[in-house]
Amino acid sequence: NSSVGIRECSFMGVPVVNIGNRQLGRMKADNVKDSLWDTNAIFDAIQGQIKHGFYQSSSIYGDGKSGERIAELLSKDLKIFTKRFVDL
């Protein structure tokens, strides 16, 4: 029931079985299958995901290029603002 299964794995298309209700109400891509806390239900969900294999990448949580965008911003000549204290 990790957020990485819900977020990062959706971008990579990795099949995920989400067990329980911890992630209830969260947006999920097609790669996530929810399962109850039941041994048979969990087993069936895992078997279904193994059979399915990888999913198409989803951009539900972004396009995977945030690191490039951050690096681009940091490489620019940014003006540094400092606080100026004035006696009144």
Side-chain angles (χ1 to χ4, degrees):
N1 291 347
S2 172
S3 296
V4 74
I6 306 294
R7 295 182 351 191
E8 285 83 356
C9 289
S10 66
F11 180 74
M12 297 184 304
V14 175
V16 172
V17 174
N18 177 54
I19 303 167
N21 60 5
R22 182 171 173 260
Q23 303 294 344
L24 187 66
R26 196 164 194 185
M27 290 190 320
K28 298 178 201 130
D30 293 337
N31 69 310
V32 179
K33 299 302 176 205
D34 293 316
S35 175
L36 300 173
W37 283 101
D38 173 76
T39 304
N40 293 327
I42 295 168
F43 181 81
D44 291 344
I46 291 170
Q47 290 297 104
Q49 290 292 56
I50 291 170
K51 184 182 276 188
H52 185 282
F54 278 84
Y55 287 77
Q56 185 173 354
S57 178
S58 170
S59 59
I60 192 171
Y61 283 106
D63 61 7
K65 297 182 180 179
S66 59
E68 294 171 23
R69 291 183 185 113
I70 292 168
E72 175 66 26
L73 285 172
L74 292 176
S75 70
K76 293 183 178 182
D77 185 24
L78 301 176
K79 291 182 180 179
I80 298 174
F81 296 95
T82 58
K83 290 183 179 182
R84 194 171 114 195
F85 296 98
V86 180
D87 289 333
L88 299 176

